[in-house]
Amino acid sequence: MTSETTSLLRLDGLGVRIGTQDIVRDIALTLAPGEVLGLVGESGSGKTTIALALLGYRPDGATFLGSVELDSREVLSLPPADLQALRGRRIAYVPQNPTTALNPARRIGALMAEQLAVHGLASDADSLGGALRDVGLVDAPRVLASFPHQLSGGQQQRVVLALATLCAPDILVLDEPTTGLDVTTQAIVIAHLRRLRDERRIAMVYVTHDLDLLAGIATHLAVLYAGRMMESGPAEQVFSAPRHPYTRALLAATPSLRRPDHRPQGLPGTLRRDLVGAGCPFAARCRHALPLCAMTLPATAEVGPGHLTACHVLPADPSTDSDASAPADPAVPGGAPVLIAHGLSVTYLPGGMIRRATPVLALSEANLALHRGEILAVVGESGSGKSTLAKAIAGMIPGHAGHLVLDGAPLAPSITNRTAEQRRKLQFVFQNPDASLNPRRRVGHILADALRAARPSLSLAEKNDAIAAALAEVRLPESHAGRYPDQLSGGERQRVALARALIANPEVLICDEVLSALDVSVQAGILALLAGLCRERNLAILFISHDLSAVRHLAHRVVVLYRGQTLAALSARKLLDSPHHPYVFQLVSASLGLPAKQAAAMPPGPGCPFAPVCPVRVEPKCRHRPPPWSEGIERLRCHHSPDDLANLLTLGH
Amino acid sequence: MVLLRFILLRLLGGIAMLLAVSALIFFMTEVLPGDVATRILGRNPDPERLAILRATLGIDRPLPLRYLEWISGILQGDFGNSLISGQPVTETLGRRVLNSVLLGALALAIYVPLAVLPAIAQAVNRDGPLDQAISALSLAILSIPDFLLATLVLIGFVVLLPVAPARSIVEASSTWGQALHAMILPAATIALVMATYAMRYLRDSLIEVLQTDYIRMARLNGIPQRVLIWRHAMPNALVPFLNVTALNLTYLFGGVVVIEQVFSFPGFGALMVGALLQLDVPMIQATVLIAAAVYILSNLAVDLATLALNPRLRHVG
Amino acid sequence: MSADARLARSPLPVSLVLGGLLSGSILLVALIGPWVAPYGPSQLGTGAPLSGISLAHPFGVDQLGRDVFSRVLHGAWLVLVLSLSGTVLGFLAGGILGLVSGQRGGWFDWLVMRGCEVLISIPILVTALLVVALVDTQTIAPLPLIIGVIGFVYAPRIARMARSAAIEVATRDYVTAARLRGDSGLRIALVEILPNVSGILLVELALRAAYAPVLVASLGFLGFGLSPPTPEWGMIIAENRGLIFITPITVLGPGLMLAVLVVGINLLTEGIARVIGRSVVRTT
């Protein structure tokens, strides 16, 4: 990608083989200072294996092929002692999940001092504090004396970054560093990485499945499928003129606020390494595939300066084939709402080994009305109370305050006091299908259980028909009824979970973060399925999510929660338009990858829950008086008037 | 404050458990044998002697009352008198408990390295030949009943390789060196039994810890293996190790009866077995209660130690 | 796909095969032992007392002139019957108690679990010794007494384990899903919970079965077992313990058989655990 003279790291024909299987094959890349290389692909694409190979890390029982050269020194054959000296000093690693990346038994200060000591560097309080201030952790003495659990997720990730950059490495290997973080925290981390890239010229290898995220940071992209390179090149070229069908499919599947009119399209099938033959590994799922594709491996061709792709069909055709037809703006349905929640509040006492005495208000006075044929999204970060709201409506939290009305009849707080008919009408889909499907029961039995509870009067033949119909509705073959959940892919499992809810013939479907456990390519398929169900069945869907891009594409209306309180209720189409609640504004700009304007944190008061971190708060009013609701259809709760907000907050500012 | 309240609650719970166990032991020892007096005097006893014995034993009065007397006696350090020797139970008990504590301390000192070092070697060479060899060996030792293991040790070190005395008797006049020499075989046997359990457990928890993200991150940022094991992995594997050690402490006080028997060691376990064989009820009550108390107290200690070692729990509230 | 085909594709763990062979051979000894033993269990004058290893007396001859090998063969079924029926008794009682307790919750659960904790706080061997020593053998015959004692010491320990496994499973989303559609408690226990705790229960059963022969033999060894001259292995070892410096084989022979049995069941446990993907957790 860059001329050889400036390149730091050079991969040539890199392969990782376990037994007779090639996990990764024939990877050639270069990396120069200040470059950020995004390694993209679905799970199983081999992206993490490549990233770890850069650090000389070999999975158990694996052998390396080819070479990884750092400053013309071969990394793959370094003796252990040299490898150890290299790691952390020249090339450092940032793992996926900050909450598990820091040793729970060690203080941050000890970890940092040790990191310097093992690489023969002196450490003192000033240098450690400086490293923490570099990543935006101002209260260095406190952080140094803290154990990891005493820090928030965002602080933990910044500590991890500080730790990785402590010995001033030239290269950072980042393995999905923002997965599991809230969008706002994610934006802060990305902004920091950009600073490292531009100011300290640190080269990075950024592993992710999220193309949208890379748009904000990567200078180069490498798209992987089943361990092989499909396409690589300068980021803007790959984004604007993707040449490989797989790259195009991935882009088409990724929802993005940057492309508000783009409707995400699912990628059919899943990555199955056992089906990869002698030809192009993507051939089995490729819509452009020719007979040739399954038989011979396409050669890598240069289609632009530094832009390489391996495809028999498309490299000659620079046009994109995504049918970016904007969906018709759906009218918000009218009529009587099918589900009403009024003044819903949930308080709970945190459990655990040591009980805290003070009860926590997880949800405060939430109101919503859901109509037939409508998708209402509830968004918020972790701790916002969105899942609590879903569970209270589903009847899992018996002790809640407030009223629920389903189809005109009051709905008891506890599931045990609801009628069988009410249970049938209201169905719940859990976040993680691994946990929500009994691993010891076949799919057919799982569906039959749901059917028996919801429609007990059916005959055996009718039941079998209903099961077949439910599987067909979620686009699964009927033969899947005989399988156990662990014989299915993640996306297929979530479809089974959906089928289990649909088979009851519900009026309202509650989807609690149903996308978050799935790959991007699979998410788009589920999104399309939900949209179709809502249209065809006139189903009301309550869609709980933290993902604004998905919400923007799927939902009609959006309710925004923050720390248990409702701050805004607006049309999904208006998500990108002003005026905005300051918190919604922050969420949207973070989702667009724009740097968030930060305010110095203040202790919370009885007023607006967002005031302590709000960039436009007015002291002392905001923190001390609860904000009023504005008038109109796009309602928000803020001390500023909508007009003021429109002037105060503008995107890109 | 929250922490203090937790410790207080935990202590109260421990005391309640002790009371419940004492009641269980008392009622079992009083009810199960049927009439103790009849059993002492045999079939068809002389009714007059029976009545006198009952009065001397005090078993003609209601059970709950006798329990209260018993428990209040214990609180004043009085476990009653032995039915066999007529001596106060406390006197015999004190000497024997001291012997067992010395034996236990020695066994623990051998146990810790004997459990930790092989476990680390196993975890580092996971599924390698060394790991499998140690696994097989520890499974074999685990499967040999401890009285047999003790007998094997006896045959090995007394008959074949005569380095230790056959009877591990510690006299009041023994020097420390003599006492150590006498105790080394039973202590080593006990340590070996305990270590095999702990080793398997520690190996598994170390392997689990070594697979965590934070170890991987540290490894990939150049932290050497030695530091990884001792400073990163061990602190996190310590709590499970403490838990299994608590179970072992119980074994030490209750389960060693057979090992003490084989080595003729005048410890607490041998005292219990003797009392049981002779149906010396006050002695049985005292020894079993102490065994249960050791279990409850060591669990309590481990809970508190867990709290002290786990920063996540320590800093809540 | 047939079960055979599946087995053929993934080879059985070595531990499972070896464990099956070892414990199977002891089972065989128990079944045919009394018929193939060269002498009767209490037959005197079979050879010169204390004459050590010979072809006629592989495990030597004891003080009374009895053939130790024949005694071991005659006693094998006793060891198996005592330990296995005791284990099954404790497993049934404890398993049911634990699952019901975890399912019902509330005061019932609290009471059962505190009761179990009290029983568990006295070490296994001590409880067993206590009960065997105290219960008058005129009231209950020794054989059922020992079976009952094994059941009694195992039940609370298994109950506690079964309960925590059931509660762990009960918080999974698929159980919540069953509650949301209004399934009955019994149905949830049988369909959703039991199949998912059966693996853990199986490992626990095997683990307890491995310790039971040790417990039986320990009781016999300490003089609290069946009455002499019953050829139970622990008692044979105790009888000949005084001879270890003269004819060690009279102790090592029965000891070896016992060890083969326990190693066999332990290997079987490891094998089962490996097949169903569980780890073996040994507790007291």
Side-chain angles (χ1 to χ4, degrees):
Chain A
M1 266 160 258
T2 36
S3 63
E4 277 177 43
T5 42
T6 56
S7 78
L8 258 176
L9 191 71
R10 202 184 156 75
L11 279 68
D12 198 12
L14 173 70
V16 180
R17 177 177 287 173
I18 296 183
T20 56
Q21 207 198 1
D22 285 313
I23 304 299
V24 165
R25 231 179 130 170
D26 270 342
I27 303 296
L29 288 167
T30 56
L31 191 67
E35 286 185 348
V36 175
L37 169 68
L39 277 182
V40 213
E42 295 167 84
S43 17
S45 61
K47 53 191 191 298
T48 298
T49 310
I50 296 174
L52 293 178
L54 304 183
L55 294 139
Y57 180 89
R58 200 172 45 202
D60 280 345
T63 44
F64 283 138
L65 306 167
S67 82
V68 173
E69 276 179 14
L70 177 67
D71 300 338
S72 317
R73 216 156 53 124
E74 179 56 53
V75 173
L76 298 183
S77 56
L78 276 186
D82 292 355
L83 206 52
Q84 207 166 71
L86 189 79
R87 290 173 176 172
R89 185 73 183 82
R90 301 291 320 281
I91 175 164
Y93 175 71
V94 177
Q96 184 165 44
N97 188 345
T99 53
T100 56
L102 293 169
N103 195 324
R106 307 287 304 276
R107 289 178 200 275
I108 305 301
L111 281 175
M112 294 181 74
E114 185 184 88
Q115 180 69 32
L116 286 170
V118 298
H119 287 110
L121 302 172
S123 70
D124 53 81
D126 281 350
S127 63
L128 298 187
L132 288 177
R133 270 185 292 277
D134 267 0
V135 293
L137 290 169
V138 258
D139 193 4
R142 188 188 74 85
V143 174
L144 286 174
S146 296
F147 285 100
H149 73 271
Q150 292 167 306
L151 306 174
S152 71
Q155 289 173 321
Q156 285 173 344
Q157 187 59 295
R158 282 186 251 184
V159 167
V160 168
L161 272 176
L163 207 54
T165 49
L166 196 57
C167 303
D170 304 305
I171 304 169
L172 270 184
V173 174
L174 305 133
D175 188 0
E176 305 244 12
T178 60
T179 310
L181 296 181
D182 285 324
V183 269
T184 17
T185 321
Q186 188 174 308
I188 294 168
V189 172
I190 297 285
H192 177 65
L193 289 176
R194 261 197 303 259
R195 268 212 317 284
L196 288 176
R197 176 191 71 187
D198 299 338
E199 289 166 17
R200 285 164 66 175
R201 306 287 293 157
I202 295 184
M204 302 180 199
V205 174
Y206 194 118
V207 174
T208 182
H209 66 277
D210 188 351
L211 271 172
D212 194 35
L213 194 77
L214 285 177
I217 172 119
T219 60
H220 293 77
L221 280 183
V223 183
L224 297 159
Y225 190 83
R228 282 191 178 269
M229 186 84 82
M230 298 288 106
E231 182 162 11
S232 65
E236 73 272 21
Q237 275 203 50
V238 178
F239 274 121
S240 60
R243 291 301 187 86
H244 197 281
Y246 181 57
T247 315
R248 294 185 181 181
L250 268 188
L251 276 167
T254 310
S256 170
L257 285 187
R258 272 181 255 270
R259 297 174 293 160
D261 291 333
H262 167 72
R263 171 147 293 239
Q265 288 159 339
L267 194 56
T270 46
L271 198 169
R272 295 263 307 271
R273 279 183 177 263
D274 50 333
L275 296 185
V276 172
C280 172
F282 186 58
R285 293 168 74 190
C286 182
R287 48 192 282 204
H288 302 278
L290 303 171
L292 172 72
C293 294
M295 286 181 289
T296 50
L297 205 59
T300 303
E302 185 155 6
V303 290
H307 187 173
L308 304 173
T309 184
C311 180
H312 287 301
V313 188
L314 279 187
D317 165 26
S319 73
T320 56
D321 60 345
S322 82
D323 49 343
S325 55
D329 203 358
V332 175
V338 59
L339 177 77
I340 299 171
H342 183 72
L344 217 56
S345 296
V346 175
T347 330
Y348 69 96
L349 279 167
M353 194 166 170
I354 300 170
R355 275 185 188 282
R356 234 184 298 210
T358 41
V360 172
L361 188 64
L363 187 66
S364 164
E365 298 274 334
N367 300 316
L368 57 85
L370 183 60
H371 299 80
R372 284 194 174 80
E374 180 189 37
I375 300 177
L376 173 62
V378 180
V379 301
E381 305 180 342
S382 48
S384 64
K386 58 188 191 301
S387 275
T388 306
L389 174 64
K391 287 182 175 138
I393 295 174
M396 288 183 233
I397 305 174
H400 71 74
H403 305 285
L404 290 171
V405 178
L406 178 66
D407 234 358
L411 196 59
S414 165
I415 190 76
T416 47
N417 299 330
R418 296 183 182 175
T419 66
E421 191 58 13
Q422 285 178 328
R423 284 200 292 262
R424 179 189 68 72
K425 283 181 182 171
L426 190 75
Q427 291 287 323
F428 192 92
V429 184
F430 291 86
Q431 173 172 9
N432 188 349
D434 295 355
S436 70
L437 301 177
N438 187 340
R440 305 300 295 272
R441 238 164 140 61
R442 291 176 199 276
V443 167
H445 288 139
I446 289 172
L447 296 179
D449 285 340
L451 201 55
R452 185 184 36 72
R455 292 145 72 185
S457 57
L458 295 188
S459 73
L460 189 65
E462 285 171 325
K463 273 186 186 166
N464 286 334
D465 289 348
I467 289 171
L471 284 173
E473 191 162 21
V474 297
R475 319 271 186 279
L476 287 179
E478 204 178 326
S479 60
H480 276 33
R483 295 202 185 176
Y484 285 100
D486 63 1
Q487 295 169 313
L488 305 177
S489 71
E492 289 174 323
R493 267 175 264 179
Q494 195 59 292
R495 284 167 191 266
V496 171
L498 259 175
R500 172 172 64 184
L502 294 174
I503 207 168
N505 207 3
E507 313 260 308
V508 177
L509 193 63
I510 304 175
C511 297
D512 186 11
E513 292 268 20
V514 291
L515 301 179
S516 62
L518 307 174
D519 250 339
V520 174
S521 63
V522 181
Q523 287 184 8
I526 302 277
L527 277 178
L529 191 59
L530 287 175
L533 284 169
C534 170
R535 262 195 323 269
E536 287 149 26
R537 282 197 175 210
N538 209 20
L539 195 63
I541 298 178
L542 190 64
F543 186 77
I544 314 293
S545 180
H546 68 277
D547 182 353
L548 279 191
S549 323
V551 162
R552 168 71 177 70
H553 291 291
L554 181 68
H556 301 103
R557 286 190 301 133
V558 183
V559 169
V560 182
L561 295 184
Y562 185 81
R563 304 222 161 161
Q565 305 220 26
T566 315
L567 289 186
L570 62 162
S571 156
R573 298 279 131 198
K574 300 276 173 65
L575 256 179
L576 291 177
D577 309 334
S578 301
H580 267 321
H581 188 281
Y583 175 59
V584 182
F585 180 79
Q586 185 186 312
L587 278 181
V588 170
S589 28
S591 297
L592 285 169
L594 300 172
K597 195 174 170 188
Q598 286 213 56
M602 305 272 292
C608 175
F610 186 62
V613 292
C614 180
V616 295
R617 68 167 169 246
V618 179
E619 283 294 324
K621 176 168 76 171
C622 283
R623 280 197 304 130
H624 294 281
R625 273 212 327 267
W629 277 104
S630 68
E631 296 301 318
I633 305 173
E634 313 299 329
R635 281 156 41 88
L636 48 89
R637 268 176 86 197
C638 187
H639 287 290
H640 293 290
S641 75
D643 293 343
D644 289 353
L645 284 171
N647 294 328
L648 281 168
L649 309 161
T650 337
L651 281 176
H653 132 108
Chain B
M1 273 304 97
V2 180
L3 192 64
L4 203 68
R5 211 181 59 181
F6 170 78
I7 294 174
L8 216 64
L9 276 176
R10 195 66 192 73
L11 279 174
L12 283 177
I15 292 170
M17 271 291 283
L18 264 178
L19 276 176
V21 174
S22 73
L24 175 76
I25 292 169
F26 186 81
F27 290 112
M28 269 172 84
T29 47
E30 297 290 325
V31 173
L32 277 186
D35 189 352
V36 177
T38 324
R39 274 181 84 169
I40 290 173
L41 294 177
R43 306 274 128 212
N44 308 318
D46 175 20
E48 208 167 303
R49 283 182 59 196
L50 203 61
I52 293 171
L53 185 61
R54 281 200 174 128
T56 14
L57 293 176
I59 55 179
D60 49 348
R61 286 168 309 122
L63 210 53
L65 190 69
R66 274 155 50 211
Y67 171 69
L68 286 180
E69 284 174 7
W70 179 68
I71 202 81
S72 63
I74 292 176
L75 291 178
Q76 295 155 30
D78 176 18
F79 281 94
N81 292 340
S82 161
L83 292 186
I84 309 299
S85 66
Q87 300 285 319
V89 166
T90 330
E91 246 173 56
T92 332
L93 202 60
R95 247 190 351 262
R96 297 298 196 94
V97 169
L98 183 67
N99 282 348
S100 281
V101 166
L102 284 178
L103 182 67
L106 185 60
L108 268 182
I110 306 174
Y111 153 79
V112 173
L114 196 60
V116 172
L117 298 178
I120 290 178
Q122 282 185 291
V124 173
N125 302 298
R126 185 185 178 193
D127 293 333
L130 184 68
D131 178 25
Q132 286 176 350
I134 296 178
S135 257
L137 190 66
S138 69
L139 189 74
I141 293 175
L142 199 83
S143 301
I144 301 176
D146 27 22
F147 59 88
L148 195 66
L149 189 69
T151 311
L152 288 176
V153 169
L154 202 58
I155 294 176
F157 288 94
V158 179
V159 184
L160 302 177
L161 192 76
V163 290
R167 294 166 66 78
S168 307
I169 293 176
V170 186
E171 308 284 347
S173 59
S174 311
T175 64
W176 281 104
Q178 283 169 330
L180 200 67
H181 186 60
M183 288 196 304
I184 191 75
L185 280 191
T189 313
I190 293 168
L192 188 61
V193 175
M194 298 196 307
T196 46
Y197 278 93
M199 199 192 298
R200 299 178 76 82
Y201 202 74
L202 188 58
R203 169 198 178 266
D204 289 356
S205 49
L206 267 177
I207 284 179
E208 202 174 297
V209 173
L210 285 176
Q211 287 172 329
T212 55
D213 285 357
Y214 56 83
I215 294 290
R216 183 152 97 160
M217 153 126 182
R219 196 191 295 283
L220 290 178
N221 282 323
I223 305 293
Q225 177 83 342
R226 186 177 34 81
V227 180
L228 273 181
I229 295 282
W230 289 102
R231 312 217 32 193
H232 289 245
M234 277 307 271
N236 289 290
L238 206 58
V239 168
F241 181 68
L242 268 180
N243 278 312
V244 74
T245 302
L247 293 177
N248 275 324
L249 277 178
T250 328
Y251 168 79
L252 203 62
F253 246 68
V256 291
V257 284
V258 286
I259 289 179
E260 291 190 354
Q261 199 80 355
V262 172
F263 290 99
S264 316
F265 181 81
F268 168 83
L271 182 69
M272 182 190 315
V273 173
L276 283 163
L277 280 172
Q278 292 169 314
L279 275 186
D280 187 350
V281 173
M283 190 65 91
I284 295 175
Q285 290 168 337
T287 49
V288 177
L289 184 61
I290 287 177
V294 169
Y295 174 89
I296 293 168
L297 292 178
S298 54
N299 270 299
L300 191 66
V302 165
D303 269 11
L304 297 182
T306 306
L307 206 62
L309 284 172
N310 188 340
R312 206 178 311 224
L313 297 175
R314 190 173 25 176
H315 287 277
V316 169
Chain C
M1 178 174 45
S2 73
D4 295 322
R6 203 175 309 164
L7 289 183
R9 273 197 305 120
S10 58
L12 288 175
V14 183
S15 47
L16 195 70
V17 176
L18 199 60
L21 281 178
L22 290 181
S23 31
S25 63
I26 299 289
L27 184 67
L28 191 71
V29 168
L31 289 174
I32 63 168
W35 285 275
V36 298
Y39 305 98
S42 312
Q43 190 181 339
L44 303 178
T46 61
L50 317 182
S51 58
I53 297 188
S54 66
L55 261 181
H57 305 285
F59 289 173
V61 180
D62 70 8
Q63 265 171 318
L64 302 176
R66 294 177 295 192
D67 176 42
V68 177
F69 185 62
S70 299
R71 283 179 65 69
V72 168
L73 292 190
H74 281 283
W77 71 270
L78 260 176
V79 177
L80 281 184
V81 165
L82 286 174
S83 47
L84 292 187
S85 35
T87 308
V88 169
L89 181 71
F91 190 74
L92 288 180
I96 292 172
L97 192 66
L99 291 181
V100 170
S101 183
Q103 175 82 12
R104 285 196 52 174
W107 64 267
F108 179 81
D109 183 40
W110 189 90
L111 208 66
V112 169
M113 282 306 119
R114 295 297 87 74
C116 286
E117 274 170 28
V118 170
L119 287 174
I120 291 171
S121 66
I122 311 177
I124 284 196
L125 185 60
V126 176
T127 316
L129 286 174
L130 191 65
V131 176
V132 175
L134 293 176
V135 170
D136 196 343
T137 43
Q138 300 294 318
T139 3
I140 308 175
L143 204 98
L145 177 63
I146 290 180
I147 293 176
V149 161
I150 296 172
F152 178 69
V153 296
Y154 276 178
R157 292 169 168 85
I158 290 169
R160 191 164 69 165
M161 197 278 317
R163 171 184 176 272
S164 69
I167 285 184
E168 206 261 312
V169 172
T171 56
R172 305 259 173 91
D173 282 346
Y174 54 82
V175 178
T176 310
R179 292 224 169 84
L180 286 181
R181 64 174 176 253
D183 280 2
S184 71
L186 185 69
R187 199 186 152 82
I188 290 176
L190 289 179
V191 174
E192 311 287 346
I193 295 180
L194 194 61
N196 286 293
V197 296
S198 57
I200 304 175
L201 290 181
L202 188 65
V203 172
E204 178 77 7
L205 175 71
L207 210 54
R208 297 294 175 187
Y211 182 68
V214 178
L215 190 56
V216 171
S218 297
L219 288 176
F221 178 79
L222 292 171
F224 294 88
L226 306 169
S227 41
T230 320
E232 186 273 311
W233 293 352
M235 291 175 60
I236 301 177
I237 294 171
E239 285 159 11
N240 299 332
R241 207 166 67 82
L243 313 178
I244 54 164
F245 300 127
I246 310 161
T247 57
I249 191 65
T250 53
V251 171
L252 295 182
L256 180 74
M257 295 289 280
L258 190 56
V260 167
L261 173 63
V262 181
V263 169
I265 310 180
N266 268 326
L267 281 173
L268 216 50
T269 313
E270 304 272 330
I272 294 172
R274 191 167 279 238
V275 168
I276 61 177
R278 303 269 178 205
S279 60
V280 179
V281 180
R282 292 166 195 276
T283 56
T284 49

